[in-house]
Amino acid sequence: VNETDYFGSQWWETGAKRTAEEAIPSKYTLHQNYPNPFNPTTVITYDLPSSGRVSLTIFNALGQKITSLVDKEQQAGSYRVTWDGLSGEGTQMANGVYFYYLRTSSFNKTMKMVLMR
């Protein structure tokens, strides 16, 4: 099954991809992942009103780091990244609650998601 965005169009690449370049977001936003609960993949989207260092990290319910999806400089814009339910070492994660944490120099937010196989 191929991932689709909210409007049903398909996209194939993984990693943080910048979306529409015409509009620069007016504020930092970390959106709810979609779908949630998910199996086998989920998409996380976020908005950056200014350029800077961005970190997007997945943690388990015990607060242990599972993987880092983004850790780099990014331009202002809207981004989406797909998480495939794997740890940084490639281990398939178990059913359960996970948290994704977005951090920039002036914004941080954590949100909850559920992996259900």
Side-chain angles (χ1 to χ4, degrees):
V1 176
N2 297 320
E3 297 99 3
T4 59
D5 63 19
Y6 295 110
F7 304 105
S9 63
Q10 295 182 343
W11 38 275
W12 308 93
E13 300 179 49
T14 59
K17 301 298 174 194
R18 190 169 177 191
T19 58
E21 293 189 33
E22 313 82 48
I24 300 297
S26 60
K27 64 180 184 173
Y28 288 98
T29 309
L30 177 60
H31 300 276
Q32 184 64 54
N33 66 301
Y34 181 82
N36 189 34
F38 71 96
N39 175 23
T41 63
T42 191
V43 176
I44 300 168
T45 57
Y46 55 94
D47 302 326
L48 307 174
S50 61
S51 301
R53 186 90 184 160
V54 176
S55 172
L56 180 62
T57 309
I58 307 294
F59 293 91
N60 65 17
L62 299 175
Q64 299 164 322
K65 180 180 173 181
I66 301 300
T67 190
S68 179
L69 300 178
V70 177
D71 189 14
K72 63 182 178 180
E73 293 283 326
Q74 290 187 317
Q75 298 297 314
S78 296
Y79 292 83
R80 67 179 174 213
V81 62
T82 300
W83 184 45
D84 56 7
L86 299 178
S87 71
E89 293 79 35
T91 304
Q92 189 72 272
M93 301 310 299
N95 288 345
V97 175
Y98 293 88
F99 297 90
Y100 53 106
Y101 174 63
L102 180 69
R103 182 173 49 106
T104 71
S105 62
S106 57
F107 176 82
N108 62 56
K109 185 171 183 179
T110 303
M111 295 190 74
K112 179 172 68 169
M113 62 183 160
V114 177
L115 172 59
M116 199 179 310
R117 298 203 184 275

